[in-house]
Every structure is written in structure tokens, then in C-alpha cells.
Amino acid sequence: MRAFISRLLWPALASISLAAIYFGMEAGHGVLVFNIVYLSLAATLAMLERALPHERQWLVNDGQIGPDLAHTVLSKGVAQVLVTVIVFMGIAEWLKPNGGPLWPETWPLIIQVALGLVIVELGLYWKHRLAHEWPWLWRFHAVHHSVSRLWFFNTGRFHVVDTVTGLLVGIPVLLLLGAPQPVLLMVSAVTAVFGMLTHCNIEMRCGPLNYVFNTPELHRWHHSKDLSEGNRNYGENLMLFDMIFGTYINPPRRPPADIGIEHAVPEDFVGQLKLPFTRAPL
């Protein structure tokens, strides 16, 4: 039964969450429903982490709940404000290209969303990869990788500069192509839902889905201290570009439970915000 549940959880939670957001958007309450769904998913994952943990040692408090929450409020707050302004304040319509639409608005919405995810993923993949390969970008991204355990609560533990640079290579590209508001909202919703699922400490077996989507199974390798494993699986939502550029990894063994980075980071939120601007080794 446990094995069956572990195979069902990821597709069930992802599809139910996204379906609820879609119907909320259709009813004209996209932002409200998104927030309700996001918080409901968080509560569900919190319970499942206790019932079906992937690593029991990751259930132990690491003393970072306060900084994790502060990073989440700042980074996710900035992200949601920007997306809300773009989608619902008319900027999407204002930025549509002149001389005819570049975006295939006549296609079914699900196909448009899939296209949007692929387009956005290219920028997100390279932004993420460069954040590991370029030392000055790594200084910001290291705040996220400094965690010693993965669980739903540190999904949003990103330095705000790391978050903003990620936003710049995502939704703005779709805006310039003339993607309509429903596509912008659903692409943002997929990224938010997948992000929380990816970081959760729940036993999930995703099978063939690992070749398409970024799943907890794959992302645990990305947090490995061994850089031959950690500098892999850069995909935000999809694994397409990891496949194309040779950075996909999914060995037939258990990912390491001992995760993190070589150098220590400050324990407090303000210290973590200031860290990239100091001379501290990372």
C-alpha cells in the first residue's frame, strides 16, 4: 500500500492543485484561489511529511524555520506582486507585439501552457546552471543550497536577488511573445506547485515522469554535496534541457541524506541576505 501511495502522490497532488487554480481563474478569482490552493498544498505536504517521510532525519528541526519563512515571504512576495501586476494590471495587453500576434492564441489552452513552459524553461535552465557555474551568481544561489534538509517549508528559501534574476528570464519572455493572461497565470502556477512538491520530504516514486518533470526524486540529487551529482538536474519544471545539454542524472540508488554546501552561512536571515556582498568564502 505504501508503495502504491508513493507512486500516486506526485501526479495526484500536482493535477488536483493545478486543476483547482485553473477553475478558479475561469471563475474570475485566479489570485485568490491560487493562494488558497498554495496554502492548502503546504498544509497537505506538512502532514504527509510526518506520515510518509523520505528521510526521517530531515524531520528534525534545523533551526532555520525563521530564516526560511523570512526568505519565502520576501522572495515569494516579490514574485507574486510582479506576476499579479503583469497579469492583472494590463501590462500583458500593453506589451503585445504590433503587426500581428506572435503567440498561437487559437491553440487549446493546455497546448499554449505547455509551449509557455518549454519557452520559459530554457531561460530558467540556463539561469540556474550559470548560478552554479559563475561564482558571483553562486554567492546568491548558495543561500538556497545551504540547507541541511529538504522539506516543503524551505521551498522559498532563495536570496531575493536570486529570485528576481530568475523572474527576469521567465514571464517577460512570454510577454514579449504576446502570450495571453491565462497562459501567464497557469505557467506561474505550475512553477509554484512544482517547486513545493520538488522540495518536499515525502516518499514519492515518479517512474517515467522523471524523464519529463522535475520531481523530488531528481531534485534531491541536485542538493548533493558531491558536485558530480549536485551540478545536475537544473530544470525548474521540465527535464527537457537537462536531457539536451547532458546534465540529467537519476542513478539507481538512494540520493544522499547529507546535503548542503562546503562553507557555512550565517544562521540569521539578515546575515544570509548580506552574505553575497561580503568576502566570506562560498
Side-chain angles (χ1 to χ4, degrees):
M1 178 60 70
R2 183 185 178 97
F4 173 75
I5 293 174
S6 69
R7 288 179 172 85
L8 179 66
L9 280 176
W10 193 93
L13 291 171
S15 58
I16 291 171
S17 298
L18 293 174
I21 293 171
Y22 168 76
F23 287 117
M25 178 185 70
E26 288 290 290
H29 303 291
V31 173
L32 174 62
V33 173
F34 168 81
N35 284 297
I36 292 173
V37 170
Y38 194 77
L39 293 174
S40 299
L41 179 60
T44 301
L45 296 180
M47 292 185 290
L48 288 171
E49 285 186 338
R50 294 290 167 179
L52 295 166
H54 170 72
E55 291 287 353
R56 291 199 172 273
Q57 69 187 69
W58 288 353
L59 298 176
V60 178
N61 188 352
D62 59 359
Q64 286 295 293
I65 292 178
D68 288 349
L69 178 60
H71 282 295
T72 299
V73 170
L74 179 58
S75 294
K76 295 298 183 183
V78 168
Q80 186 167 129
V81 167
L82 288 177
V83 170
T84 300
V85 169
I86 287 171
V87 174
F88 294 100
M89 298 301 289
I91 296 178
E93 294 296 323
W94 181 65
L95 285 179
K96 278 193 173 182
N98 295 320
L102 296 176
W103 190 263
E105 291 192 57
T106 58
W107 293 6
L109 179 60
I110 190 170
I111 303 300
Q112 292 186 56
V113 172
L115 175 62
L117 285 170
V118 171
I119 292 172
V120 166
E121 191 67 38
L122 178 60
L124 292 174
Y125 169 88
W126 278 108
K127 185 269 173 185
H128 192 180
R129 181 168 175 175
L130 292 176
H132 282 251
E133 296 180 354
W134 288 5
W136 63 278
L137 281 177
W138 168 251
R139 297 189 68 80
F140 297 100
H141 193 54
V143 172
H144 179 68
H145 276 272
S146 64
V147 296
S148 59
R149 62 169 176 158
L150 289 174
W151 65 310
F152 83 96
F153 202 79
N154 57 25
T155 300
R157 182 193 169 101
F158 287 92
H159 193 285
V160 65
V161 173
D162 197 15
T163 296
V164 171
T165 53
L167 290 171
L168 292 176
V169 300
I171 293 297
V173 178
L174 298 185
L175 281 171
L176 293 174
L177 292 173
Q181 293 179 359
V183 173
L184 300 173
L185 180 60
M186 291 308 301
V187 168
S188 300
V190 169
T191 302
V193 169
F194 281 17
M196 193 181 297
L197 289 172
T198 295
H199 289 84
C200 70
N201 179 25
I202 301 171
E203 188 61 42
M204 292 182 177
R205 303 180 186 181
C206 300
L209 294 174
N210 287 321
Y211 293 102
V212 181
F213 303 109
N214 187 17
T215 68
E217 285 185 292
L218 298 178
H219 197 66
R220 289 168 190 145
W221 291 107
H222 181 68
H223 279 263
S224 172
K225 288 181 176 178
D226 181 346
L227 296 185
S228 67
E229 299 169 347
N231 288 347
R232 300 292 190 95
N233 294 350
Y234 293 114
E236 184 82 18
N237 302 306
L238 308 174
M239 302 313 296
L240 173 63
F241 296 106
D242 283 288
M243 295 284 191
I244 291 174
F245 296 113
T247 52
Y248 179 87
I249 185 175
N250 189 20
R253 52 188 170 85
R254 191 174 181 84
D258 181 21
I259 62 173
I261 60 176
E262 179 182 355
H263 299 285
V265 303
E267 293 290 320
D268 63 294
F269 170 64
V270 174
Q272 292 166 10
L273 281 183
K274 293 164 57 177
L275 179 64
F277 304 101
T278 69
R279 295 180 179 274
L282 280 174

